[in-house]
Amino acid sequence: MRFTSSLQAGGSPVTFRDALFSGLAPDGGLYLPAERPDLSRLLSTFNDGTSFTALAAAVSAALLSPEIDGEEAARIAGRAFPFAPVLRRLDGSILLLELFHGPTCAFKDFGAQFMAACMEHFLAGERRRIQILVATSGDTGGAVAHAFHGKANIDVVILYPSGRVSELQEKQLTTLGGNVHALEVAGSFDDCQRLAKEAFRDRELTRRLTLTSANSINVGRLVPQSFYYIHGLTRRQVLRAAAEAPAAPVVCVPSGNFGNLTAGVYAWHWGLPVGSFIAATNANDVVPEYLATGLFRPRPSLATLSNAMDVGNPSNFERLACLFRSDRKAMSSVIRGESVSDQETREAMREVFERFGVSVDPHTAVGYTAARRYLSEDAGRARGVQVVVLSTAHPGKFLDIVKDAVGSVPELPESLARSLSLPKRSVRVGRELAGLSRFLLDSFG
Ligand SMILES: *Cc1c(COP(=O)(O)O)cnc(C)c1O
């Protein structure tokens, strides 16, 4: 599969490798698949006996060959995914697809791990070393740091705002060591982002280093996010129940920047039977508003309990708009938007705990609320329709919020507990490029 810029649909396509290492297209657009592969035959061969790694290998080979052949795809998938999604049925209509069993306990591990494994694969054949530079407000940096930790020929430099990330997030960034370098910036997240941008534009740095970004719009993160939709929707638990329902399963996606939902829509576009999608947002409802009115009005984000979804200008909307040729009616026939308040989010955490004995994090709770709303709107629908809610983070990552809502503390997964017990190691830098620049040249120049 090759990729073209969202700003130039007919433009000349680039390889996966080029899109992977450049992140953004040279004209500033996002890379989109230039072709529409039909995977339905392949998908119909998957069943409960297909491991997630085998599925990821087969789908990536189908999408990325001849650039990545079957053997290489199997090696990449094997390295990227020592963990898998887990389906958990709540009742006759709702299932959770838990995506938090990776090293940092959130779904971003799927994208980050695959991107890192692909970069390592391509670099092994070239004699060069690259430096990944990422700014983080908390969660993304942790997933990226863990994904690249120990990868050959790659150094990772994470910029994070001093004193503005949670203790757990900071530990996930600063305790790995080795090729992972955490720089603590005396400033805000915006300062971190600006510093990264300045570094990518700086003449001396770009001459002496091979700086590469790894942010959420990278195709190396988008492609693998389609794998868990395919995995979830080819399991017998979902299929058998859906066979008795009037339509294919509905997938509900807690959304912020819309990278997760976009990957699901691609999976559908490539042949995965999905009835429809629910885009569940918190009060940051730019996309639900567009779906209802046709007006796309980006605005500053509002702070909510589900803070990884506090996005006022979702960048992946551009990809969705291209896929549906900016036809709002076409998009809203496949995706419905639901915006959920903090109050509803708290109530959902309590309800899921009381009815099913399951703790969910606030992002998953937004998805659960949207799914319930969808089911309750139409009694006919409630009979048989299966809604798969993506569970995007482990509740232990949001201890205080979950404890407040349900009255008991969720258990902390072992990987998080281990990070917390290790000593923090970071280098402090100021808000000016000079400090970052000196660190980069001294370390890798
Ligand atoms: C990033 C994130 C989201 C939002 O995903 P998008 O791809 O940005 O829509 C939802 N939940 C959690 C826990 C996240 O970390």
Side-chain angles (χ1 to χ4, degrees):
M1 178 185 283
R2 293 189 300 166
F3 296 84
T4 47
S5 167
S6 58
L7 297 181
Q8 226 192 334
S12 56
V14 303
T15 60
F16 175 65
R17 184 197 168 288
D18 285 349
L20 176 72
F21 283 105
S22 50
L24 270 185
D27 60 9
L30 307 188
Y31 279 118
L32 311 170
E35 295 126 45
R36 180 182 183 178
D38 181 0
L39 302 184
S40 35
R41 280 257 303 280
L42 175 65
L43 303 192
S44 70
T45 66
F46 297 148
N47 56 42
D48 283 4
T50 320
S51 70
F52 182 70
T53 322
L55 181 150
V59 176
S60 37
L63 292 174
L64 302 173
S65 65
E67 242 188 300
I68 292 180
D69 67 24
E71 217 169 281
E72 293 166 335
R75 208 162 42 233
I76 291 169
R79 294 212 65 183
F81 303 122
F83 56 93
V86 174
L87 259 181
R88 182 197 287 269
R89 181 171 285 290
L90 292 185
D91 63 16
S93 317
I94 300 188
L95 300 101
L96 299 179
L97 182 62
E98 296 178 351
L99 303 176
F100 53 70
H101 299 284
T104 70
C105 304
F107 87 92
K108 292 191 176 70
D109 285 329
F110 285 92
Q113 292 282 338
F114 187 81
M115 171 177 62
C118 287
M119 286 185 174
E120 186 181 48
H121 162 75
F122 285 117
L123 288 170
E126 305 167 16
R127 290 165 68 208
R128 58 180 188 134
R129 194 170 176 88
I130 63 167
Q131 292 79 40
I132 301 277
L133 183 61
V134 274
T136 183
S137 58
D139 266 354
T140 305
V144 169
H146 278 76
F148 283 101
H149 185 223
K151 292 277 183 283
N153 303 315
I154 304 177
D155 295 297
V156 192
V157 178
I158 313 268
L159 298 166
Y160 74 95
S162 183
R164 301 198 198 189
V165 301
S166 75
E167 186 194 358
L168 188 60
Q169 288 173 332
E170 183 168 40
K171 286 292 180 91
Q172 288 190 312
L173 299 174
T174 58
T175 55
L176 289 170
N179 64 332
V180 177
H181 308 270
L183 299 194
E184 191 173 348
V185 176
S188 64
F189 170 59
D190 291 336
D191 290 316
C192 297
Q193 258 189 329
R194 177 185 45 79
L195 272 176
K197 279 194 188 140
E198 286 175 11
F200 284 117
R201 276 200 305 260
D202 186 84
R203 279 274 182 77
E204 191 184 9
L205 289 176
T206 50
R207 189 169 54 78
R208 292 179 52 189
L209 307 170
T210 312
L211 290 180
T212 308
S213 85
N215 53 24
S216 66
I217 50 87
N218 195 298
V219 293
R221 287 173 65 170
L222 188 70
V223 166
Q225 287 181 176
S226 67
F227 302 163
Y228 46 73
Y229 288 86
I230 297 170
H231 179 85
L233 270 57
T234 53
R235 299 301 104 177
R236 210 160 66 122
Q237 252 200 87
V238 177
L239 285 181
R240 210 178 41 198
E244 288 148 25
V250 171
V251 187
C252 178
V253 189
S255 296
N257 221 358
F258 281 76
N260 199 359
L261 181 86
T262 300
V265 174
Y266 278 121
W268 163 78
H269 198 59
W270 299 331
L272 181 68
V274 179
S276 63
F277 292 89
I278 306 173
T281 71
N282 55 33
N284 295 282
D285 61 351
V286 173
V287 173
E289 181 184 276
Y290 167 80
L291 290 166
T293 67
L295 296 175
F296 186 70
R297 298 189 307 152
R299 42 193 178 259
S301 63
L302 304 167
T304 74
L305 289 177
S306 45
N307 60 11
M309 311 196 314
D310 293 348
V311 180
N313 188 6
S315 46
N316 281 286
F317 181 76
E318 203 170 310
R319 285 190 168 121
L320 288 173
C322 286
L323 193 77
F324 291 101
R325 301 176 199 280
S326 300
D327 178 344
R328 194 257 306 188
K329 280 225 175 86
M331 197 191 294
S332 61
S333 71
V334 179
I335 307 170
R336 66 188 267 139
E338 295 288 351
S339 160
V340 172
S341 70
D342 274 356
Q343 181 58 28
E344 290 172 301
T345 305
R346 266 190 221 99
E347 280 162 13
M349 285 188 274
R350 201 173 310 129
E351 178 182 319
V352 176
F353 188 69
E354 280 167 8
R355 281 177 68 176
F356 310 110
V358 174
S359 290
V360 292
D361 85 286
H363 306 80
T364 305
V366 167
Y368 175 83
T369 308
R372 275 273 171 256
R373 211 185 278 165
Y374 169 80
L375 287 166
S376 68
E377 262 177 21
D378 177 343
R381 213 178 255 160
R383 265 197 306 277
V385 168
Q386 301 292 298
V387 184
V388 177
V389 177
L390 302 194
S391 181
T392 51
H394 190 288
K397 284 193 98 164
F398 302 89
L399 280 181
D400 296 339
I401 296 173
V402 176
K403 181 170 157 240
D404 252 16
V406 310
S408 77
V409 187
E411 93 192 88
L412 202 60
E414 199 201 311
S415 60
L416 297 187
R418 197 175 332 113
S419 300
L420 274 176
S421 70
L422 294 171
K424 159 184 163 181
R425 273 176 299 179
S426 68
V427 174
R428 288 173 166 276
V429 296
R431 296 164 49 197
E432 307 309 322
L433 182 62
L436 170 61
S437 186
R438 200 171 323 114
F439 174 84
L440 292 172
L441 293 172
D442 288 352
S443 311
F444 319 113

